[in-house]
């Protein structure tokens, strides 16, 4: 468990944050300039904040009130930078071993071969960083950080410098690393797809302040967080289990707490596998009675919990419907007119409709 | 063999090579330290130190030689104690010629090293810190290897330039054949003596060839090392 409380300021900007990060991935999410990379640098010890306290499993890394400031080399925080920062004069193997050689003898963690295997970088070991692709470099950087046997992994937008195909190449390795490392991982990003694919806990930052923090599914289903709700891809994040693959009909059937979803066949999944599906609020329609003769696969009986303003301009034209399908919260974005036409009131039973092809874009292993 | 140069001409060539080599040996470590201080340090007086280091590039070499004579002469504030306590005399000696050459080529090394340092991503050292490397560890394992092309380029350039230092050497160390009469001084003497034109021409040719070889070598080493260090 990582505990962070920091205050820092420079002209025109003030940072004042406090949050805790349990084991698993905690995403620091926010727009550029919200202070998320500053938080990460302060935790790593690369930036000294005006005031603050950082403790990892009870061990104090920074406590300005007591004058404790551990230098980065003694914090045992593995850092993956956006620009990889591999040492250009050393081979990939020597880069990987750099931290390993300097780790305390009693430190435990996955071994060299295991990490090389996990990240698929065995063919690169003898090469120099200069000749690697961006994705390869970032995989080596992940391995180097993990092999330093850290107690905490810090990732500063590790995919931001890569193009979309490279991001897709590295993302599964990040998920595997998360499952193997069994460490708190602080993951700075402004990409929601990375949050969806990796994060367990979400810390929302805006202008140097934490505006919300908690399990990522709980925050995704809230309509009152503009940083999430005003995005085009706003919507609920639903943890699912693969129930069956149906190649004959070209469908994948997914189970979640409260029902089933049908998605276009996604090869590579096997029954029992877990993944997370983002159901965007704008992809969700509602009906007051079960529709018939309709193309949509997913017709989920649900309850309308509440109607919230969508906060768009001009105001009051669109609203969020907060729905519950069993234990799973969903968000739908509809016009105010729909609410009036269907006389929607909280507590009403409704049917939530989602096209199965709406799931093509947002999912990750969880 | 090699009889196209006379014995005293060979002597001047050998002396020049020795003086230049010694000057580089003397100035290399301090120059690297000063370059690092200038590139990384933020302290009052940095600009002054910067200007002071670069003075030999703009002040007439004769003035540098005169300054050395004042400081290191056997009655000077440094030369006096050196002579009285250790019996070390620098004026009018080969060591003196090397010192004068070192002062003159000092800014060349500082500039080259500093250029190499400023091209070095400080993020790499930060990464080394997060991987558990302490200050000395980082310097030896990351900073020094990555700035070595700059150091080497500076050293070779300083050596090539040191072969031809004239004003400071003749002022501080005088023009003594076999002791302080380096290539340019020998050329100067040859042009001053009747019938010395041929000797002057030969030595000038040698000077030219050595300087050119030095510069080419610096370029070649620089490229090799950049490749060896994985920087393209």
């Amino acid at each position: 468990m990582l505990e962070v409380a920091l205050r820092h300021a420079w002209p025109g900007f003030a940072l004042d944050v406090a949050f805790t990060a349990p084991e698993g991935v905690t995403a620091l999410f926010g727009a550029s300039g919200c202070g998320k990379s500053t938080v990460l640098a302060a935790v790593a010890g690369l930036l000294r904040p005006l005031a603050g306290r950082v403790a990892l499993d009870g061990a104090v890394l920074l406590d300005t009130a007591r004058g404790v400031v551990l230098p980065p080399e003694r914090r045992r925080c593995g850092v993956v930078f956006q620009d990889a920062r591999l040492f250009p004069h050393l081979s990939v193997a020597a880069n990987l071993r750099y931290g390993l050689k300097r780790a305390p003898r009693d430190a435990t963690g996955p071994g060299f071969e295991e990490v090389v295997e996990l990240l698929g970088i065995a063919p690169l070991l003898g090469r120099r960083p200069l000749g690697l692709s961006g994705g390869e470099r970032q995989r080596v950087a992940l391995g180097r950080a993990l092999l330093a046997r850290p107690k905490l992994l810090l990732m500063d937008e590790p995919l931001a410098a890569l193009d979309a195909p490279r991001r897709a190449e590295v993302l599964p390795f990040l998920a595997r690393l998360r499952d193997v490392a069994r460490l708190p991982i602080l993951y700075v990003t402004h990409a929601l797809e990375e949050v969806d694919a990796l994060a367990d806990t979400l810390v929302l930052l805006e202008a140097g302040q934490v505006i919300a923090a908690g399990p990522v599914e709980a925050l995704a289903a809230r309509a009152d967080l503009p940083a999430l709700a005003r995005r085009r891809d706003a919507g609920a994040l639903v943890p699912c289990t693969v129930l069956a693959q149906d190649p004959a009909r070209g469908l994948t059937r997914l189970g979640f707490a409260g029902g089933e979803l049908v998605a276009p066949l996604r090869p590579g999944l096997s029954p029992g596998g877990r993944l997370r599906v983002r159901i965007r609020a704008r992809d969700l329609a509602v009906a007051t009675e079960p529709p018939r003769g309709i193309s949509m696969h997913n017709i989920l009986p649900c309850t309308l919990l509440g109607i919230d303003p969508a906060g768009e301009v001009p105001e009051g034209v669109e609203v969020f419907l907060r729905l519950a399908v069993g234990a799973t919260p969903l968000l739908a974005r509809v016009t105010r007119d729909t609410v009036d036409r269907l006389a929607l009131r909280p507590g009403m039973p409704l049917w939530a409709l989602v096209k199965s092809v709406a799931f093509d874009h947002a999912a990750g292993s969880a | 063999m090699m009889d196209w140069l006379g014995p005293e001409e060979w002597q001047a060539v050998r002396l020049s090579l020795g003086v230049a080599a010694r000057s580089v040996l003397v100035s290399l470590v301090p120059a690297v330290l000063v370059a690092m201080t200038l590139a990384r340090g933020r302290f009052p007086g940095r600009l002054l130190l910067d200007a002071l280091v670069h003075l030999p590039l703009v002040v007439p070499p004769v003035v540098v030689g005169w300054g050395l004579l004042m400081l290191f002469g056997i009655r000077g504030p440094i030369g006096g104690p050196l002579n009285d306590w250790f019996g070390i005399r620098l004026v009018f000696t080969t060591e003196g010629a090397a010192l004068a050459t070192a002062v003159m080529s000092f800014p060349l090394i500082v500039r080259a090293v500093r250029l190499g340092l400023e091209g070095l991503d400080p993020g790499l050292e930060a990464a080394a810190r997060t991987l558990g490397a302490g200050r000395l560890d980082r310097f030896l394992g990351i900073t020094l290897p990555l700035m070595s092309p700059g150091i080497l380029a500076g050293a070779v350039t300083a050596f090539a330039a040191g072969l031809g230092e004239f004003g400071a050497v003749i002022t501080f160390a005088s023009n003594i054949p076999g002791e302080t009469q380096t290539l340019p001084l020998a050329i100067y003497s040859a042009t001053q003596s009747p019938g010395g034109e041929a000797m002057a021409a030969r030595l000038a040719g040698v000077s030219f060839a050595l300087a050119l070889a030095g510069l080419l070598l610096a370029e070649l080493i620089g490229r090799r090392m950049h490749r060896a260090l994985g920087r393209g």
Side-chain angles (χ1 to χ4, degrees), chain A residues 4 19 36 54 93 162 167 183 243 246 260 270 279 296 305 320 344:
Chain A
V4 178
F19 62 90
K36 53 195 192 298
V54 176
L162 306 178
R167 278 203 298 277
L183 296 168
L243 297 178
D246 188 347
E260 267 184 49
S270 45
I279 303 178
M296 291 185 184
L305 297 179
F320 278 118
L344 299 180

Side-chain angles (χ1 to χ4, degrees), chain B residues 1-121:
Chain B
M1 146 193 155
M2 299 203 180
D3 50 1
W4 51 281
L5 283 183
E8 68 265 48
E9 291 165 20
W10 271 117
Q11 192 179 52
V13 172
R14 267 201 311 275
L15 192 65
S16 256
L17 291 170
V19 163
R22 273 184 249 191
S23 79
V24 172
L25 282 180
V26 168
S27 55
L28 194 60
V29 172
V32 169
L33 293 178
V34 166
M36 291 188 71
T37 311
L38 288 177
R40 296 279 170 88
R42 292 284 170 273
F43 55 93
R46 195 175 70 99
L47 229 60
L48 190 70
L49 178 66
D50 198 1
L52 213 64
V53 165
H54 286 87
L55 265 187
L57 285 182
V58 284
V59 163
V62 177
V63 175
V64 173
W66 171 83
L68 287 172
L69 209 52
M70 292 298 107
L71 285 173
F72 289 92
I74 49 172
R75 290 199 183 77
I78 304 176
L82 273 181
N83 186 43
D84 298 344
W85 301 345
F86 304 105
I88 297 172
R89 194 171 60 93
L90 288 171
V91 271
F92 310 140
T93 64
T94 312
E95 284 69 33
L99 175 68
T101 306
V103 171
M104 291 304 294
S105 54
F106 192 75
L108 295 177
I109 308 185
V110 171
R111 285 175 82 92
V113 173
R114 195 172 157 183
L115 221 71
L117 249 173
E118 280 165 358
L120 200 154
D121 176 9

Side-chain angles (χ1 to χ4, degrees), chain A residues 44-46 71-74 76-79 81 83-90 95 98-100 102-103 128 130 144-145 148, chain B residues 121-135 137-143 145-146 226-232:
Chain A
L46 296 172
E73 55 267 35
R74 286 179 48 210
R76 308 214 27 225
C77 297
V79 185
F81 300 93
D83 51 350
R85 298 195 188 174
L86 300 180
F87 304 127
H89 61 303
L90 302 178
N95 266 284
Y98 192 88
L100 186 60
R102 289 161 177 81
R128 287 291 178 87
L130 189 76
R144 185 178 68 173
Chain B
D121 176 9
L124 292 175
E125 287 164 272
R129 289 194 87 174
T130 65
L131 292 165
R135 186 187 286 267
D137 188 358
R138 285 198 303 276
F139 177 73
L140 294 177
I142 306 295
T143 319
L146 289 177
H226 269 270
R227 219 170 306 142
L229 293 173
R231 296 215 271 168

Side-chain angles (χ1 to χ4, degrees), chain A residues 244-256:
Chain A
Q245 295 280 59
D246 188 347
R249 291 175 63 195
L251 297 174
T252 294
R253 293 153 57 78
L254 303 167
F256 68 95

